[in-house]
């Protein structure tokens, strides 16, 4: 498959694209990124992702090569040039390529790139296999509101989870569960949904943000507070959210069955509403084009 990439203003085959050895993304993980879901060739919550990108870049005092309007235009023009309909845009910006030095380089143009990649469509709400979680110590830095490319702690944790026969790692710090290696975590208690506040230890997930909006529309009470491990393990239900998986209901955690081992009614209701929002918003984009 001939995949294309947009790199610093040029579109080329992904296989031909090169970034310098001294790019600070490569040497220092000095960069930020976004993953934006495409549904039938249309990006979902593009504005929200680009707003978070701007906050992330500001959070590491890095300039972006394009402003939001410029980047939106480039992405929307790029998508039809690729063959990807259901998939994602991976976008990354680094502080650029410069002689290796911890100090920020002066007058160095940042590196900006994005490309589209096919993903299998997400299963209909409630139809996916339940997720198996595995607990890992939270050894990450304390600026998780920045979506930084420095993901080594997440990479290690996810690999530990899979080695233990699970699908996703949940981070535990001081008895509190924060989030997962690549998703936000929610627990269901009766008619309430509880999740850790965003900030130092939790990424402000875009799916999480949409879920709060949906919950408000449905009249579902969402509570932001730290959740202790024991409380999470005895919850009626647990689910995780991310751009690529939407909502994943959790079947087991450290080998123990969660709830009654099925996708609970609350999780199903929220996922159905999220899917309706996806369809509404991605169609709305076509209408607006
Ligand atoms: N938390 C972490 C650590 C992540 O890496 C991700 C996504 O990659 C999320 C949460 C979910 O964020 P979003 O819903 O924006 O994909």
């Amino acid at each position: 498959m001939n995949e294309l990439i947009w790199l610093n203003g040029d579109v080329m085959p992904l296989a031909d694209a090169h970034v310098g050895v001294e790019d600070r993304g490569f040497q220092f993980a000095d960069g930020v990124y976004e993953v934006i879901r495409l549904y039938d060739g249309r990006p979902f919550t593009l504005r929200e992702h680009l707003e978070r990108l701007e906050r992330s870049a500001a959070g590491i005092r890095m300039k972006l090569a394009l402003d939001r309007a410029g980047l939106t235009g480039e992405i929307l023009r790029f998508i039809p040039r690729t063959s990807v309909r259901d998939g994602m845009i991976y976008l990354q910006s680094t502080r650029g390529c410069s002689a290796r030095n911890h100090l920020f380089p002066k007058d160095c143009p940042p590196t900006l790139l994005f490309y589209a990649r096919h993903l299998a469509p997400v299963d209909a709400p409630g139809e996916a296999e339940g997720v198996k979680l595995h607990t890992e110590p939270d050894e990450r830095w304390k600026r998780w509101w920045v979506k930084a490319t420095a993901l080594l702690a997440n990479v290690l944790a996810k690999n530990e989870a899979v080695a233990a026969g699970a699908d996703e790692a949940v981070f535990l710090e001081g008895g509190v569960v924060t989030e997962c290696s690549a998703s936000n975590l929610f627990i269901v208690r009766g008619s309430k949904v509880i999740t850790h506040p965003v900030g130092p230890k939790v990424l402000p997930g875009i799916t999480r943000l949409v879920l709060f909006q949906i919950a408000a529309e449905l009249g579902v009470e969402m509570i932001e507070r730290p959740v202790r491990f024991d409380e999470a393990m005895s919850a009626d239900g647990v689910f995780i959210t991310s751009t690529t998986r939407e909502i994943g209901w959790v079947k087991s955690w450290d080998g123990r069955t969660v709830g009654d081992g099925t996708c609970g009614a609350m999780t199903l209701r929220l996922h159905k509403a999220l899917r309706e929002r996806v369809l509404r918003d991605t169609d709305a984009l076509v209408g607006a084009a």
Side-chain angles (χ1 to χ4, degrees), residues 35-39 42-44 86-88 119-122 243-244:
V35 174
I36 303 150
R37 184 89 203 191
L38 296 179
Y39 292 92
R42 293 161 209 139
F44 179 59
D86 285 300
M88 62 162 185
L119 292 175
V122 183
T243 293
T244 50

Side-chain angles (χ1 to χ4, degrees), residues 33 49 52 140 144 147 154 179-184 203-208 241-243:
Y33 76 105
H49 281 280
R52 182 173 64 184
R140 305 171 302 154
W144 262 89
K147 194 165 168 69
N154 301 50
E179 64 172 341
C180 300
S181 79
S183 46
N184 290 117
L203 181 84
I206 301 303
T207 321
R208 181 188 189 279
T241 64
S242 76
T243 293

Side-chain angles (χ1 to χ4, degrees), residues 265-280:
M266 174 65 83
T267 307
L268 187 61
R269 185 172 175 220
L270 290 171
H271 198 169
K272 281 184 174 163
L274 172 64
R275 188 55 72 83
E276 277 166 26
R277 168 81 187 265
V278 164
L279 295 176
R280 195 188 72 199

